[in-house]
């Protein structure tokens, strides 16, 4: 963009009035302003149009109900979209094909029974959907096999509060209301319960996987990150532990009662940073480097 001419007369700072420590004592007229700072309207630069938005499908409460809707694109496919919602008191799982001719359509619909779906996630190979239904448990749907989704160990997963597939293997991480950590290995059909080393003191509410297959989980009191899990026979060995209560002690008091963490996400760097959202209005960001064998309970906070 062309430079914008400033109507403000440049101000020469009087650098003679400094303190012994080198700090500058600024008076009211010493602040420098730019033309951009003086504008009431933001300067916007628009380039040439690159793409045009096209609506392929419009889903409304008429077909999906009035509750919260979750959706997830199938890995490896830009045309298949899974949607989970609650309508008329029952959980619905729908797979849409946006490439269908002449118009996009639902290729499969399953009624999961009473309960609100609260989590929807594809396995990394794009063949299996994991659907977590509040107070009911976890369903697994193999889209390549005809038939409805199957409940995964309902006596165990009925207490599930979190679930997420690994980015590398067919391993489903499950956290429960009692703070238990479970790794379900789909090819082996094995559920591995990490009773001691991975257990939390409160309900596991969120988590994330790194590219090297480390799992991070957060509860109301702490974050735990394990060492890379093997494809088979995975055993939790802690890499880092962080007490959220120590970090929250530096947070303004009004955020202290924001509730349990709602989101945990790793950065792509190595060793990764981890961001944890507390309630709706606060985020903690801290490093996971434990090369010194000391867990650093420090980080950045963003309101």
């Amino acid at each position: 963009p062309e430079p914008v001419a400033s109507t403000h007369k440049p101000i020469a700072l009087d650098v003679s009035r400094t303190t012994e420590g080198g700090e500058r004592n600024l008076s009211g007229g010493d602040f420098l302003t730019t033309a951009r700072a003086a504008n009431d309207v933001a300067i916007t630069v628009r380039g040439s149009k690159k793409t045009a938005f096209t609506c392929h499908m419009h889903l409304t409460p008429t077909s999906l109900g009035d509750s919260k809707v979750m959706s997830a694109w199938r890995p490896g496919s830009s045309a298949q979209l899974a949607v989970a919602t609650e309508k008329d008191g029952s959980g619905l799982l729908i797979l849409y094909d946006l490439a269908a001719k002449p118009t996009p359509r639902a290729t499969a619909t399953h009624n999961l029974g009473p309960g609100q779906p609260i989590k929807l996630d594809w396995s990394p190979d794009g063949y299996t959907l994991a659907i977590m239904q509040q107070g009911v448990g976890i369903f697994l749907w193999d889209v390549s096999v005809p038939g409805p989704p199957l409940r995964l160990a309902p006596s165990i997963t009925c207490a599930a509060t979190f679930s997420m597939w690994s980015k590398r293997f067919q391993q489903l991480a499950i956290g429960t209301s009692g703070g238990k950590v479970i790794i379900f290995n789909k090819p082996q059909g094995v559920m591995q319960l990490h009773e001691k080393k991975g257990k939390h003191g409160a309900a596991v509410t969120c988590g994330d996987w790194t590219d090297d297959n480390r799992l991070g989980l957060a509860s109301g009191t702490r974050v735990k990150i394990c060492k890379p899990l093997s494809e088979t026979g995975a055993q939790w060995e802690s890499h880092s532990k962080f007490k959220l209560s120590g970090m929250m002690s530096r947070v303004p008091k009004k955020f202290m009662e924001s509730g349990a963490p709602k989101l945990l996400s790793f950065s792509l760097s190595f060793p990764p940073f981890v961001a944890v959202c507390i309630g709706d209005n606060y985020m903690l960001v801290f490093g996971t480097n434990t090369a010194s064998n000391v867990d650093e309970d420090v980080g950045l906070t963003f309101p």
Side-chain angles (χ1 to χ4, degrees), residues 55 57-64 69 71 81 83 94 96 98 104 106:
C55 182
M57 181 171 59
H58 185 200
L59 303 175
T60 67
T62 302
S63 58
L64 299 181
V69 176
S71 61
L81 180 71
V83 175
I94 311 170
Y96 290 96
L98 275 68

Side-chain angles (χ1 to χ4, degrees), residues 276-297:
V276 179
C277 290
I278 307 295
D280 295 325
N281 302 301
Y282 225 82
M283 179 172 68
L284 306 173
V285 179
F286 46 95
T288 62
N289 186 5
T290 58
S292 60
N293 295 322
V294 177
D295 292 340
E296 297 183 39
D297 191 12

Side-chain angles (χ1 to χ4, degrees), residues 66-90:
D66 296 322
S67 67
K68 182 178 179 180
V69 176
M70 289 167 296
S71 61
W73 291 104
R74 184 178 181 182
S77 171
S78 60
Q80 288 189 300
L81 180 71
V83 175
T85 184
E86 183 181 27
K87 183 181 181 184
D88 300 327
S90 294

Side-chain angles (χ1 to χ4, degrees), residues 58-231:
H58 185 200
L59 303 175
T60 67
T62 302
S63 58
L64 299 181
D66 296 322
S67 67
K68 182 178 179 180
V69 176
M70 289 167 296
S71 61
W73 291 104
R74 184 178 181 182
S77 171
S78 60
Q80 288 189 300
L81 180 71
V83 175
T85 184
E86 183 181 27
K87 183 181 181 184
D88 300 327
S90 294
L92 295 181
L93 175 62
I94 311 170
L95 184 63
Y96 290 96
D97 185 0
L98 275 68
K101 303 297 182 181
T103 58
R105 67 175 188 272
T107 57
T109 301
H110 296 291
N111 189 321
L112 304 178
Q116 169 70 49
I118 56 176
K119 188 74 176 179
L120 178 68
D121 193 29
W122 286 95
S123 61
D125 59 7
Y127 286 105
T128 307
L129 263 172
I131 311 97
M132 188 168 68
Q133 202 169 4
Q134 191 170 26
V136 177
I138 294 176
F139 289 84
L140 294 182
W141 181 34
D142 192 333
V143 296
S144 63
V145 178
L150 301 177
R151 290 184 69 183
L152 175 65
S155 61
I156 299 175
T157 63
C158 64
T161 52
F162 168 80
S163 66
M164 177 180 281
W165 287 102
S166 162
K167 297 178 181 179
R168 295 185 60 185
F169 307 127
Q170 295 186 58
Q171 295 173 322
L172 182 67
I174 302 169
T176 72
S177 58
K180 293 182 179 179
V181 178
I182 302 168
I183 304 295
F184 172 66
N185 190 306
K186 183 176 179 290
Q188 294 179 308
V190 174
M191 299 191 73
Q192 296 164 300
L193 174 63
H194 301 275
E195 185 68 43
K196 296 181 180 180
K197 294 183 179 180
K199 187 175 181 180
H200 286 239
V204 177
T205 53
C206 54
D208 194 14
W209 290 86
T210 62
D211 290 335
D212 63 352
N213 217 44
R214 279 186 284 175
L215 174 63
L217 297 172
S219 65
T221 57
R222 65 179 62 235
V223 170
K224 285 188 176 183
I225 304 171
C226 72
K227 295 179 181 179
L229 295 173
S230 60
E231 185 174 4

